Amino acid sequence: METFKFSKKESRLYMSFMYVTFVSLLVGGLMGLLQTLVRSGKYKLPFNIDYYTILTTHGVILGLVLTTFFIVGFQFSLMGKTVGISDKQILWGWISFWVMLVGTVLAAWMILTGEASVLYTFYTPLRAHPIFYIGLALVIVGSWIAAIVNFRQLYVWKKAHKGEKSPLLAFMVVINMIMWVVASLGVAYSVVVLILPWSLGYVATVNVLLTRTLFWYFGHPLVYFWLLPAYMAWYAIIPKIIGGKLFSDSLARLSFILLLMFSIPVGFHHQLTEPGIDPTWKFIQVVLTFMVVVPTLMTAFSLFATFEITGRNKGHKTLFGWFKHLPWKDVRFLAPFIGMVAFIPGGAGGIINASHQVNSLVHNTIWVTGHFHLTIATTVILTYFGIAYWLIPHLTGRRLTPKLNKLGIIQTIVWTVGMAIMSTSMHIQGLLGGPRRSSFSEYAGGDQVSTWISYQVSQAVGGTILFIGIVLMVYIFIQLAFFAPRGYEDYPIAEEDLDLDTEKTPKILENWYLWIGVTIALILFAYTIPMIDIIKHSPPGSIPFDWPIGRS
């Protein structure tokens, strides 16, 4: 059997992103543990560490740094595998890495020194040190460089393969990076043009509603920027791991196009309680939000069709025999599968969050935090772990040994149990009115507050179990990167099932001008008029507030 290996130049580039990813996991995870302990009311932070410092560190390091570095590194490897990468493109890949890393260090420095306790949403009028915003801008610029490299890779391949459809995974990577670039333009403008001059003192006030709107123009597609690499693995890698084939190339491409179109013009559903935005436009964006359900259901159908067809092709003819014989003892499958299952209640919670009436019940409660941890910290992160179990040893020339595979299964179960306890208790406490973004408080002993205590303790228990899972995962990463036996680990990409997918993939699915044009048209439709209203009729701008309030 022919084996594929990356060059040492490529492997070093891709692994550099992975090193930052798993350092971020350990640091951010520790901050998350401390949060849950503080919120239980049973623990106080030592050395006068501020709760909002660790809350900001947790959100920025895990929500922005870990995800972005993993996605860029993983997608570079996908592009290198499917369309190739030149020495010049590798050089620009390194430039992307170092720009992102410098930005990360600057932002982390400001957070850890207490100069940027503004949470990962960095909502104005809370003000951080200017270096924090410069760091964030550099992370975005570095990711844009990576996106341009990815676009160039596919362009060069298409030029050399005229008339051929692009490899599915390369197509998916380009879709994700188009979405990222278009969405991050909003937050880049907000940071560089509005917030940074205000933070530096060059302007006295900032338009709070405008900056928040630009953040959520970026903030919701950010969720899909995290999710689409998981979809890539589900569609095109998991079938290979279970011994099957890709269910439908056309369906996979169409689902990614729909996600591109409907993931950006929906940011108002995060601002349903925000004054100053016309309710009509909130309603329109809620409707557009529900359109994302369509490609999600397409993905679920494709995945379970793949599972059943693969099982039946292996001779498991009973109603659920195919399910019973899935490779449950292979962590490369188990971790992503649990992520898929978690997306069912996670997606249902997302529908609740985006519903105009029900959102008012849960919006500022810890229910939202529970939803976030169920979707991103379970669905996405467990899939990333499943990818890491084969990607890291492939890049380092080592093997996922039976012992490490077994330890990975233990890690997956530990993570799942910890997250189930923590997320469930967050959801319940949220329904009882427990707030998010807040440290422990007895609220002067109110009766309602007494109902939260047991759930806050449960969150600390779940957070502790989760941190054990983090330590296990970091240990496995170190083993796969440096100490596991030398050998070869396959880079699994599924082939098309030509017996099922007999129709050729329509060329219109690769009409980039059409789909990017439709996406831009939807964005202009959803945002032009409300943005004009926000700029023209917004309240007076706000002076900055530093945390703790009153600090000069």
Side-chain angles (χ1 to χ4, degrees):
M1 181 180 69
E2 183 181 354
T3 58
F4 169 85
K5 289 185 179 180
F6 291 113
S7 69
K8 288 184 178 180
K9 283 183 179 181
E10 289 181 77
S11 294
R12 281 195 293 268
L13 172 63
Y14 309 152
M15 276 300 297
S16 64
F17 288 93
M18 297 299 127
Y19 293 136
V20 177
T21 296
F22 284 91
V23 170
S24 300
L25 176 66
L26 186 60
V27 174
L30 176 61
M31 298 300 107
L33 171 64
L34 293 175
Q35 279 178 248
T36 59
L37 294 177
V38 170
R39 285 181 61 88
S40 72
K42 309 296 183 183
Y43 176 79
K44 288 188 177 180
L45 291 169
F47 312 117
N48 293 319
I49 298 173
D50 184 70
Y51 174 80
Y52 292 95
T53 296
I54 65 169
L55 179 56
T56 303
T57 304
H58 176 71
V60 171
I61 295 297
L62 294 187
L64 297 177
V65 176
L66 179 151
T67 52
T68 305
F69 274 86
F70 181 88
I71 290 166
V72 172
F74 174 50
Q75 291 185 162
F76 266 140
S77 79
L78 290 174
M79 297 298 283
K81 167 74 171 174
T82 56
V83 298
I85 186 169
S86 67
D87 287 345
K88 187 175 181 180
Q89 289 163 352
I90 289 174
L91 173 62
W92 280 102
W94 278 113
I95 294 172
S96 162
F97 170 78
W98 285 111
V99 171
M100 289 172 61
L101 185 60
V102 169
T104 297
V105 170
L106 291 176
W109 172 32
M110 289 297 101
I111 296 170
L112 294 173
T113 55
E115 296 289 338
S117 296
V118 291
L119 312 192
Y120 104 101
T121 51
F122 51 93
Y123 265 7
T124 58
L126 280 179
R127 178 176 65 174
H129 193 283
I131 291 177
F132 171 78
Y133 300 115
I134 293 170
L136 288 182
L138 287 175
V139 173
I140 293 171
V141 170
S143 69
W144 287 350
I145 295 170
I148 292 169
V149 173
N150 293 153
F151 299 157
R152 178 67 182 174
Q153 285 174 280
L154 184 59
Y155 172 79
V156 171
W157 187 92
K158 291 288 286 185
K159 197 172 180 180
H161 299 78
K162 292 187 182 296
E164 298 181 32
K165 69 178 180 183
S166 58
L168 175 61
L169 283 165
F171 173 89
M172 290 173 162
V173 168
V174 170
I175 286 282
N176 198 30
M177 294 311 273
I178 289 172
M179 180 181 68
W180 170 255
V181 170
V182 173
S184 58
L185 285 170
V187 75
Y189 178 87
S190 177
V191 168
V192 175
V193 178
L194 301 177
I195 298 178
L196 186 56
W198 170 75
S199 177
L200 288 165
Y202 294 149
V203 295
T205 62
V206 69
N207 186 326
V208 171
L209 182 56
L210 180 58
T211 58
R212 292 185 181 186
T213 301
L214 287 171
F215 178 86
W216 285 116
Y217 166 85
F218 156 80
H220 190 76
L222 172 65
V223 174
Y224 284 91
F225 176 66
W226 298 332
L227 185 61
L228 289 192
Y231 274 29
M232 296 174 201
W234 296 355
Y235 269 113
I237 290 170
I238 295 298
K240 178 71 171 180
I241 290 173
I242 68 173
K245 295 183 177 181
L246 178 69
F247 176 70
S248 171
D249 181 273
S250 301
L251 184 147
R253 291 175 196 260
L254 179 59
S255 70
F256 267 63
I257 289 170
L258 293 175
L259 287 165
L260 169 67
M261 288 164 46
F262 294 112
S263 64
I264 302 178
V266 296
F268 284 166
H269 85 242
H270 290 269
Q271 298 176 272
L272 293 178
T273 63
E274 189 98 58
I277 301 173
D278 191 308
T280 301
W281 290 103
K282 292 180 181 178
F283 174 77
I284 289 171
Q285 293 205 15
V286 165
V287 173
L288 290 174
T289 300
F290 289 151
M291 293 299 294
V292 180
V293 173
V294 176
T296 302
L297 293 177
M298 289 167 60
T299 301
F301 169 78
S302 176
L303 291 171
F304 282 89
T306 300
F307 296 157
E308 182 170 359
I309 291 167
T310 301
R312 294 192 181 281
N313 286 342
K314 291 181 177 181
H316 308 302
K317 302 298 184 183
T318 58
L319 185 60
F320 292 109
W322 57 272
F323 184 80
K324 181 180 178 182
H325 289 89
L326 287 169
W328 300 110
K329 294 182 179 180
D330 187 341
V331 71
R332 301 174 303 163
F333 168 76
L334 179 65
F337 183 85
I338 293 176
M340 297 174 199
V341 173
F343 202 44
I344 298 172
I351 292 174
I352 291 171
N353 295 341
S355 300
H356 214 299
Q357 298 88 343
V358 185
N359 179 271
S360 61
L361 175 67
V362 300
H363 180 78
N364 270 323
T365 73
I366 201 168
W367 159 288
V368 176
T369 312
H371 163 74
F372 195 80
H373 282 83
L374 194 58
T375 50
I376 306 308
T378 309
T379 295
V380 170
I381 295 299
L382 277 182
T383 303
Y384 288 4
F385 289 169
I387 292 167
Y389 285 119
W390 56 261
L391 178 61
I392 304 304
H394 182 89
L395 295 176
T396 58
R398 298 183 185 275
R399 289 190 299 110
L400 176 65
T401 63
K403 183 179 178 181
L404 287 173
N405 180 76
K406 186 175 181 180
L407 188 59
I409 291 174
I410 294 171
Q411 190 278 335
T412 302
I413 294 171
V414 168
W415 188 277
T416 303
V417 170
M419 191 61 74
I421 294 171
M422 189 179 79
S423 177
T424 301
S425 60
M426 285 177 170
H427 278 85
I428 297 173
Q429 187 194 347
L431 292 176
L432 295 172
R436 56 178 169 142
R437 306 189 185 102
S438 64
S439 180
F440 174 77
S441 173
E442 295 179 340
Y443 292 90
D447 291 338
Q448 185 177 13
V449 179
S450 64
T451 65
W452 302 344
I453 302 301
S454 60
Y455 299 109
Q456 290 172 317
V457 172
S458 296
Q459 290 161 34
V461 172
T464 302
I465 296 171
L466 273 170
F467 188 69
I468 294 171
I470 287 172
V471 172
L472 278 174
M473 189 65 223
V474 172
Y475 172 79
I476 293 168
F477 170 77
I478 292 171
Q479 289 294 314
L480 293 175
F482 302 108
F483 301 112
R486 291 284 179 183
Y488 176 78
E489 196 70 37
D490 188 31
Y491 196 112
I493 295 181
E495 300 174 354
E496 290 184 59
D497 191 337
L498 298 178
D499 293 330
L500 276 175
D501 203 5
T502 54
E503 296 291 331
K504 288 186 177 180
T505 302
K507 289 186 177 181
I508 194 173
L509 294 179
E510 285 203 71
N511 188 329
W512 297 104
Y513 296 107
L514 172 62
W515 302 121
I516 295 173
V518 171
T519 301
I520 293 173
L522 282 171
I523 293 169
L524 292 174
F525 166 71
Y527 274 102
T528 301
I529 294 176
M531 289 295 278
I532 291 172
D533 287 343
I534 288 170
I535 295 169
K536 189 176 179 181
H537 303 296
S538 65
S542 174
I543 61 173
F545 290 83
D546 297 314
W547 183 261
I549 299 299
R551 176 172 62 84
S552 59

PDB file of all heavy atoms in Angstrom, residues 453-473:
ATOM      1  N   ILE A 453     -27.401  27.131  44.567  1.00  0.00           N
ATOM      2  CA  ILE A 453     -26.172  26.668  45.204  1.00  0.00           C
ATOM      3  C   ILE A 453     -25.766  25.270  44.752  1.00  0.00           C
ATOM      4  O   ILE A 453     -24.607  25.029  44.384  1.00  0.00           O
ATOM      5  CB  ILE A 453     -26.309  26.717  46.739  1.00  0.00           C
ATOM      6  CG1 ILE A 453     -26.649  28.147  47.194  1.00  0.00           C
ATOM      7  CG2 ILE A 453     -25.016  26.230  47.390  1.00  0.00           C
ATOM      8  CD1 ILE A 453     -25.625  29.183  46.808  1.00  0.00           C
ATOM      9  N   SER A 454     -26.700  24.328  44.772  1.00  0.00           N
ATOM     10  CA  SER A 454     -26.347  22.950  44.423  1.00  0.00           C
ATOM     11  C   SER A 454     -25.861  22.851  42.985  1.00  0.00           C
ATOM     12  O   SER A 454     -24.961  22.054  42.674  1.00  0.00           O
ATOM     13  CB  SER A 454     -27.544  22.022  44.643  1.00  0.00           C
ATOM     14  OG  SER A 454     -28.639  22.425  43.831  1.00  0.00           O
ATOM     15  N   TYR A 455     -26.421  23.672  42.105  1.00  0.00           N
ATOM     16  CA  TYR A 455     -26.012  23.635  40.699  1.00  0.00           C
ATOM     17  C   TYR A 455     -24.629  24.272  40.514  1.00  0.00           C
ATOM     18  O   TYR A 455     -23.846  23.841  39.656  1.00  0.00           O
ATOM     19  CB  TYR A 455     -27.056  24.334  39.831  1.00  0.00           C
ATOM     20  CG  TYR A 455     -28.400  23.656  39.913  1.00  0.00           C
ATOM     21  CD1 TYR A 455     -29.466  24.258  40.568  1.00  0.00           C
ATOM     22  CD2 TYR A 455     -28.595  22.385  39.364  1.00  0.00           C
ATOM     23  CE1 TYR A 455     -30.693  23.632  40.668  1.00  0.00           C
ATOM     24  CE2 TYR A 455     -29.827  21.746  39.452  1.00  0.00           C
ATOM     25  CZ  TYR A 455     -30.863  22.367  40.110  1.00  0.00           C
ATOM     26  OH  TYR A 455     -32.068  21.729  40.218  1.00  0.00           O
ATOM     27  N   GLN A 456     -24.332  25.282  41.317  1.00  0.00           N
ATOM     28  CA  GLN A 456     -22.997  25.882  41.242  1.00  0.00           C
ATOM     29  C   GLN A 456     -21.935  24.899  41.748  1.00  0.00           C
ATOM     30  O   GLN A 456     -20.840  24.827  41.190  1.00  0.00           O
ATOM     31  CB  GLN A 456     -22.977  27.182  42.047  1.00  0.00           C
ATOM     32  CG  GLN A 456     -23.788  28.293  41.399  1.00  0.00           C
ATOM     33  CD  GLN A 456     -23.922  29.520  42.287  1.00  0.00           C
ATOM     34  OE1 GLN A 456     -24.164  29.398  43.491  1.00  0.00           O
ATOM     35  NE2 GLN A 456     -23.785  30.706  41.716  1.00  0.00           N
ATOM     36  N   VAL A 457     -22.259  24.151  42.784  1.00  0.00           N
ATOM     37  CA  VAL A 457     -21.329  23.119  43.263  1.00  0.00           C
ATOM     38  C   VAL A 457     -21.167  22.035  42.201  1.00  0.00           C
ATOM     39  O   VAL A 457     -20.049  21.545  41.953  1.00  0.00           O
ATOM     40  CB  VAL A 457     -21.831  22.521  44.595  1.00  0.00           C
ATOM     41  CG1 VAL A 457     -20.974  21.320  45.000  1.00  0.00           C
ATOM     42  CG2 VAL A 457     -21.808  23.580  45.696  1.00  0.00           C
ATOM     43  N   SER A 458     -22.262  21.660  41.545  1.00  0.00           N
ATOM     44  CA  SER A 458     -22.184  20.658  40.465  1.00  0.00           C
ATOM     45  C   SER A 458     -21.288  21.138  39.332  1.00  0.00           C
ATOM     46  O   SER A 458     -20.546  20.355  38.729  1.00  0.00           O
ATOM     47  CB  SER A 458     -23.588  20.355  39.925  1.00  0.00           C
ATOM     48  OG  SER A 458     -24.391  19.756  40.911  1.00  0.00           O
ATOM     49  N   GLN A 459     -21.357  22.437  39.044  1.00  0.00           N
ATOM     50  CA  GLN A 459     -20.485  22.982  38.000  1.00  0.00           C
ATOM     51  C   GLN A 459     -19.020  22.850  38.387  1.00  0.00           C
ATOM     52  O   GLN A 459     -18.164  22.555  37.551  1.00  0.00           O
ATOM     53  CB  GLN A 459     -20.835  24.443  37.743  1.00  0.00           C
ATOM     54  CG  GLN A 459     -22.178  24.646  37.055  1.00  0.00           C
ATOM     55  CD  GLN A 459     -22.724  26.041  37.201  1.00  0.00           C
ATOM     56  OE1 GLN A 459     -21.975  27.016  37.236  1.00  0.00           O
ATOM     57  NE2 GLN A 459     -24.039  26.171  37.312  1.00  0.00           N
ATOM     58  N   ALA A 460     -18.724  23.048  39.677  1.00  0.00           N
ATOM     59  CA  ALA A 460     -17.344  22.891  40.141  1.00  0.00           C
ATOM     60  C   ALA A 460     -16.905  21.434  40.036  1.00  0.00           C
ATOM     61  O   ALA A 460     -15.757  21.145  39.663  1.00  0.00           O
ATOM     62  CB  ALA A 460     -17.220  23.383  41.582  1.00  0.00           C
ATOM     63  N   VAL A 461     -17.807  20.514  40.355  1.00  0.00           N
ATOM     64  CA  VAL A 461     -17.487  19.081  40.213  1.00  0.00           C
ATOM     65  C   VAL A 461     -17.222  18.745  38.751  1.00  0.00           C
ATOM     66  O   VAL A 461     -16.228  18.106  38.399  1.00  0.00           O
ATOM     67  CB  VAL A 461     -18.632  18.220  40.778  1.00  0.00           C
ATOM     68  CG1 VAL A 461     -18.408  16.738  40.455  1.00  0.00           C
ATOM     69  CG2 VAL A 461     -18.762  18.415  42.286  1.00  0.00           C
ATOM     70  N   GLY A 462     -18.137  19.189  37.880  1.00  0.00           N
ATOM     71  CA  GLY A 462     -17.952  18.932  36.449  1.00  0.00           C
ATOM     72  C   GLY A 462     -16.696  19.584  35.915  1.00  0.00           C
ATOM     73  O   GLY A 462     -15.960  18.987  35.115  1.00  0.00           O
ATOM     74  N   GLY A 463     -16.414  20.827  36.353  1.00  0.00           N
ATOM     75  CA  GLY A 463     -15.204  21.522  35.909  1.00  0.00           C
ATOM     76  C   GLY A 463     -13.941  20.807  36.353  1.00  0.00           C
ATOM     77  O   GLY A 463     -12.952  20.765  35.610  1.00  0.00           O
ATOM     78  N   THR A 464     -13.963  20.238  37.550  1.00  0.00           N
ATOM     79  CA  THR A 464     -12.794  19.494  38.037  1.00  0.00           C
ATOM     80  C   THR A 464     -12.558  18.241  37.197  1.00  0.00           C
ATOM     81  O   THR A 464     -11.417  17.934  36.822  1.00  0.00           O
ATOM     82  CB  THR A 464     -13.002  19.108  39.517  1.00  0.00           C
ATOM     83  OG1 THR A 464     -13.217  20.293  40.291  1.00  0.00           O
ATOM     84  CG2 THR A 464     -11.790  18.370  40.054  1.00  0.00           C
ATOM     85  N   ILE A 465     -13.639  17.526  36.892  1.00  0.00           N
ATOM     86  CA  ILE A 465     -13.516  16.331  36.041  1.00  0.00           C
ATOM     87  C   ILE A 465     -13.002  16.729  34.660  1.00  0.00           C
ATOM     88  O   ILE A 465     -12.140  16.052  34.073  1.00  0.00           O
ATOM     89  CB  ILE A 465     -14.868  15.601  35.945  1.00  0.00           C
ATOM     90  CG1 ILE A 465     -15.282  15.067  37.319  1.00  0.00           C
ATOM     91  CG2 ILE A 465     -14.805  14.457  34.933  1.00  0.00           C
ATOM     92  CD1 ILE A 465     -16.699  14.531  37.375  1.00  0.00           C
ATOM     93  N   LEU A 466     -13.513  17.829  34.142  1.00  0.00           N
ATOM     94  CA  LEU A 466     -13.060  18.313  32.830  1.00  0.00           C
ATOM     95  C   LEU A 466     -11.570  18.635  32.841  1.00  0.00           C
ATOM     96  O   LEU A 466     -10.854  18.340  31.872  1.00  0.00           O
ATOM     97  CB  LEU A 466     -13.844  19.556  32.426  1.00  0.00           C
ATOM     98  CG  LEU A 466     -15.156  19.326  31.686  1.00  0.00           C
ATOM     99  CD1 LEU A 466     -15.934  20.622  31.579  1.00  0.00           C
ATOM    100  CD2 LEU A 466     -14.901  18.741  30.308  1.00  0.00           C
ATOM    101  N   PHE A 467     -11.101  19.247  33.914  1.00  0.00           N
ATOM    102  CA  PHE A 467      -9.676  19.585  33.963  1.00  0.00           C
ATOM    103  C   PHE A 467      -8.822  18.322  33.995  1.00  0.00           C
ATOM    104  O   PHE A 467      -7.728  18.293  33.409  1.00  0.00           O
ATOM    105  CB  PHE A 467      -9.369  20.465  35.174  1.00  0.00           C
ATOM    106  CG  PHE A 467      -7.954  20.993  35.162  1.00  0.00           C
ATOM    107  CD1 PHE A 467      -7.562  21.929  34.220  1.00  0.00           C
ATOM    108  CD2 PHE A 467      -7.014  20.523  36.062  1.00  0.00           C
ATOM    109  CE1 PHE A 467      -6.261  22.406  34.176  1.00  0.00           C
ATOM    110  CE2 PHE A 467      -5.703  20.998  36.040  1.00  0.00           C
ATOM    111  CZ  PHE A 467      -5.325  21.938  35.092  1.00  0.00           C
ATOM    112  N   ILE A 468      -9.304  17.279  34.647  1.00  0.00           N
ATOM    113  CA  ILE A 468      -8.594  15.992  34.588  1.00  0.00           C
ATOM    114  C   ILE A 468      -8.519  15.518  33.141  1.00  0.00           C
ATOM    115  O   ILE A 468      -7.484  15.026  32.678  1.00  0.00           O
ATOM    116  CB  ILE A 468      -9.303  14.946  35.477  1.00  0.00           C
ATOM    117  CG1 ILE A 468      -9.195  15.349  36.954  1.00  0.00           C
ATOM    118  CG2 ILE A 468      -8.712  13.551  35.262  1.00  0.00           C
ATOM    119  CD1 ILE A 468     -10.051  14.503  37.889  1.00  0.00           C
ATOM    120  N   GLY A 469      -9.637  15.684  32.398  1.00  0.00           N
ATOM    121  CA  GLY A 469      -9.643  15.329  30.978  1.00  0.00           C
ATOM    122  C   GLY A 469      -8.656  16.152  30.173  1.00  0.00           C
ATOM    123  O   GLY A 469      -8.020  15.648  29.244  1.00  0.00           O
ATOM    124  N   ILE A 470      -8.506  17.430  30.528  1.00  0.00           N
ATOM    125  CA  ILE A 470      -7.543  18.297  29.836  1.00  0.00           C
ATOM    126  C   ILE A 470      -6.117  17.819  30.088  1.00  0.00           C
ATOM    127  O   ILE A 470      -5.303  17.727  29.162  1.00  0.00           O
ATOM    128  CB  ILE A 470      -7.731  19.758  30.292  1.00  0.00           C
ATOM    129  CG1 ILE A 470      -9.014  20.331  29.673  1.00  0.00           C
ATOM    130  CG2 ILE A 470      -6.523  20.618  29.899  1.00  0.00           C
ATOM    131  CD1 ILE A 470      -9.397  21.690  30.202  1.00  0.00           C
ATOM    132  N   VAL A 471      -5.805  17.511  31.345  1.00  0.00           N
ATOM    133  CA  VAL A 471      -4.465  17.027  31.678  1.00  0.00           C
ATOM    134  C   VAL A 471      -4.170  15.729  30.922  1.00  0.00           C
ATOM    135  O   VAL A 471      -3.066  15.544  30.380  1.00  0.00           O
ATOM    136  CB  VAL A 471      -4.328  16.825  33.202  1.00  0.00           C
ATOM    137  CG1 VAL A 471      -3.000  16.138  33.539  1.00  0.00           C
ATOM    138  CG2 VAL A 471      -4.431  18.162  33.925  1.00  0.00           C
ATOM    139  N   LEU A 472      -5.149  14.842  30.852  1.00  0.00           N
ATOM    140  CA  LEU A 472      -4.967  13.591  30.104  1.00  0.00           C
ATOM    141  C   LEU A 472      -4.696  13.871  28.628  1.00  0.00           C
ATOM    142  O   LEU A 472      -3.823  13.252  28.018  1.00  0.00           O
ATOM    143  CB  LEU A 472      -6.219  12.715  30.237  1.00  0.00           C
ATOM    144  CG  LEU A 472      -6.356  11.857  31.496  1.00  0.00           C
ATOM    145  CD1 LEU A 472      -7.721  11.165  31.514  1.00  0.00           C
ATOM    146  CD2 LEU A 472      -5.234  10.817  31.554  1.00  0.00           C
ATOM    147  N   MET A 473      -5.459  14.829  28.053  1.00  0.00           N
ATOM    148  CA  MET A 473      -5.294  15.122  26.631  1.00  0.00           C
ATOM    149  C   MET A 473      -3.930  15.730  26.348  1.00  0.00           C
ATOM    150  O   MET A 473      -3.283  15.399  25.344  1.00  0.00           O
ATOM    151  CB  MET A 473      -6.406  16.086  26.167  1.00  0.00           C
ATOM    152  CG  MET A 473      -6.450  16.277  24.657  1.00  0.00           C
ATOM    153  SD  MET A 473      -6.895  14.759  23.787  1.00  0.00           S
ATOM    154  CE  MET A 473      -5.725  14.799  22.423  1.00  0.00           C
TER     155      MET A 473
END
